[in-house]
Amino acid sequence: MSARRKIGMILTPEKFMTGALLMNRDIYQFLKNKIDIHPIIPKNEEYLNIRNIGTILYYFSAVDQAEDCDFIWGTSIATLGFFNQNKVIQHFHGVDSIGRQVVLDNYKSQSESENKVTQKWQKILLNNNDSNLEEVKRDIAISGEIEKICCQKAIVIIAVSPLVKKQLIGDFGVSSEKIKVILNGISDYWFENHDSKFVDDAKVIFVTRVSNSFYNLLEKGQDRAYEILSQLDNQKKIYSHLSTSNPREINEYKKVVENNTGAQIIIGKNREQLAREYRAGDIYLGTSRTEACQLTLIEAMACRMCPVTYSVGIVSDYIKNGINGFVVKSIKEAVHVIEKLSKDKKLRETIGNNAYFTAKENFTYDRMLDEYSEFISNVIKG
């Protein structure tokens, strides 16, 4: 009988968690009773105050925890310090350097009318500040080289969508055989308790993360979304996670956006709260300039909302225009589609139900966790 082979999974303390990192923790909790897997959790948080190299040092501080591990499983550049002593399973919830470059390229190629919208909201929200774009460009160059190294040295790579796989092959030269696509999944509660949700008054919901960053405004498409919302008469809500705990900054942001869009801003606390908002909503607005496998869209579909979204991430693979959602290319088109849906409850019900079945077929947690269990078990068996 062969000896058990141990995996160390790089995790992050809960206070630093994004949706992707929370998912990693759920995957670990599911697998720990099935295979010999142990958490690797960096402790030296002070490194995170150092730009660029700080993140690498932060994860490198946990290398001694992995000395008795045969494999290390980690996300993006977290694995860089482990290659000398471990076989690495590389995990990409999205390729950061590629995604950031997509945002900048999109911004550079905008039409004159699109630029006017961006400049309008840049002025309203940030007083025309765009100073962090130069920092983003430098970060792309650094993180891109590191991500390439991690891809080259890893024994296998997990990608969360066909788009991420395509990017790894096209931009980093990774062989297709080295990459396993495992789609994100969502918990069962997203699919529950919304059978009679379709009412006459259509509600539009836009979900975002906001900060005092021009790059963040571009990435999340807040300029597009706020312009669309400002042109609608619907009931509309913005569900936001703010990267500040300063009450004054939060209140100022709420006031400015609400006054300029007519929307109600809800400061989000957890996914269960967002699920309640989705169950009471009708139309999901997606305006990001880059995504990998967007959870907010999948969650909205599970709640029978009608997606109206730009084509990013999983949209081209799973949204069929006019069948289970609408794919738009402009603010004008998005406004037209939302107004059409608002007036037609039967159409909203048809699109919403089709979106629900798409999510149920492709994006359940059970399916995702079973795929991870099978794939990782095969990797450690060699």
Side-chain angles (χ1 to χ4, degrees):
M1 179 181 294
S2 60
R4 295 182 73 188
R5 306 177 79 185
K6 181 176 178 181
I7 293 181
M9 188 172 187
I10 304 173
L11 301 175
T12 306
E14 290 187 13
K15 62 182 176 180
F16 297 130
M17 291 231 173
T18 61
L21 297 178
L22 278 169
M23 188 168 292
N24 282 357
R25 188 166 286 265
D26 287 348
I27 294 167
Y28 164 75
Q29 292 293 339
F30 177 78
L31 292 177
K32 68 180 184 179
N33 295 321
K34 296 177 176 290
I35 59 176
D36 194 4
I37 188 168
H38 297 260
I40 305 293
I41 304 177
K43 307 293 185 185
N44 297 34
E45 296 171 9
E46 65 273 13
Y47 285 134
L48 295 174
N49 296 319
I50 306 172
R51 187 166 182 81
N52 293 323
I53 192 67
T55 303
I56 297 170
L57 292 172
Y58 169 67
Y59 287 112
F60 189 74
S61 69
V63 166
D64 61 332
Q65 298 179 42
E67 289 179 351
D68 62 341
C69 294
D70 298 286
F71 300 88
I72 284 293
W73 179 1
T75 301
S76 190
I77 67 172
T79 59
L80 182 65
F82 295 83
F83 285 102
N84 284 340
Q85 68 182 33
N86 307 104
K87 296 177 181 178
V88 169
I89 301 165
Q90 187 68 43
H91 198 164
F92 280 104
H93 290 279
V95 188
D96 185 60
S97 60
I98 298 174
R100 289 183 171 217
Q101 190 61 55
V102 167
V103 172
L104 296 186
D105 290 345
N106 181 284
Y107 174 51
K108 289 178 189 175
S109 63
Q110 286 188 155
S111 67
E112 183 177 349
S113 61
E114 289 172 322
N115 273 329
K116 285 181 179 179
V117 169
T118 300
Q119 290 164 7
K120 170 185 172 180
W121 289 99
Q122 181 186 4
K123 182 177 181 180
I124 290 171
L125 297 172
L126 303 171
N127 294 319
N128 291 322
N129 176 31
D130 65 352
S131 60
N132 75 319
L133 284 192
E134 289 303 317
E135 293 179 352
V136 171
K137 291 175 184 176
R138 290 193 293 271
D139 289 349
I140 288 171
I142 295 169
S143 62
E145 288 304 312
I146 296 172
E147 286 172 332
K148 280 184 184 179
I149 292 170
C150 292
C151 284
Q152 291 165 357
K153 297 197 172 212
I155 59 168
V156 290
I157 299 171
I158 299 169
V160 299
S161 70
L163 173 65
V164 173
K165 179 176 180 177
K166 182 179 177 180
Q167 290 174 334
L168 291 170
I169 294 170
D171 291 71
F172 288 174
V174 181
S175 67
S176 175
E177 294 75 18
K178 194 175 182 177
I179 304 170
K180 170 68 174 178
V181 174
I182 300 180
L183 295 169
N184 283 339
I186 55 175
S187 298
D188 288 344
Y189 66 79
W190 291 98
F191 295 95
E192 299 167 351
N193 303 321
H194 44 75
D195 290 335
S196 58
K197 67 171 290 169
F198 301 103
V199 295
D200 290 333
D201 297 326
K203 300 179 182 66
V204 183
I205 296 181
F206 170 63
V207 182
T208 192
R209 178 192 70 239
V210 297
S211 69
N212 295 321
S213 157
F214 182 49
Y215 172 79
N216 184 74
L217 179 147
L218 292 173
E219 180 187 4
K220 299 304 177 185
Q222 290 160 3
D223 52 336
R224 295 167 166 175
Y226 296 162
E227 186 64 23
I228 292 165
L229 293 174
S230 71
Q231 295 182 28
L232 296 171
D233 293 328
N234 299 68
Q235 295 183 52
K236 46 207 173 183
K237 293 184 178 183
I238 301 167
Y239 186 94
S240 296
H241 292 274
L242 286 89
S243 60
T244 175
S245 58
N246 185 324
R248 182 177 177 181
E249 289 183 9
I250 292 173
N251 289 331
E252 287 177 354
Y253 183 87
K254 278 173 59 72
K255 183 177 179 181
V256 168
V257 177
E258 288 180 343
N259 287 345
N260 284 278
T261 64
Q264 176 191 358
I265 291 190
I266 300 163
I267 305 303
K269 296 180 180 178
N270 53 54
R271 310 305 284 184
E272 289 81 0
Q273 182 188 10
L274 176 58
R276 289 194 295 272
E277 294 298 331
Y278 273 175
R279 290 180 189 122
D282 300 273
I283 300 167
Y284 166 91
L285 177 60
T287 58
S288 292
R289 287 178 169 87
T290 186
E291 293 283 357
C293 188
Q294 51 268 54
L295 285 174
T296 57
L297 169 61
I298 298 167
E299 291 159 351
M301 293 168 71
C303 290
R304 299 180 194 265
M305 295 186 74
C306 303
V308 177
T309 176
Y310 284 73
S311 185
V312 294
I314 61 169
V315 169
S316 62
D317 293 298
Y318 293 96
I319 298 296
K320 308 305 177 187
N321 197 31
I323 304 298
N324 60 354
F326 290 90
V327 184
V328 298
K329 296 180 179 178
S330 68
I331 290 168
K332 182 178 180 180
E333 185 181 5
V335 171
H336 171 74
V337 169
I338 292 172
E339 288 178 341
K340 176 183 176 181
L341 283 166
S342 300
K343 297 172 184 175
D344 192 335
K345 184 172 72 169
K346 184 64 177 176
L347 178 61
R348 293 200 307 275
E349 185 172 357
T350 299
I351 298 292
N353 283 332
N354 288 341
Y356 168 86
F357 288 117
T358 300
K360 191 73 172 174
E361 182 178 352
N362 296 285
F363 300 107
T364 64
Y365 236 38
D366 287 345
R367 186 273 314 156
M368 178 190 75
L369 293 172
D370 286 344
E371 285 191 36
Y372 275 111
S373 180
E374 180 181 2
F375 177 69
I376 296 299
S377 295
N378 288 336
V379 168
I380 62 180
K381 288 175 184 175

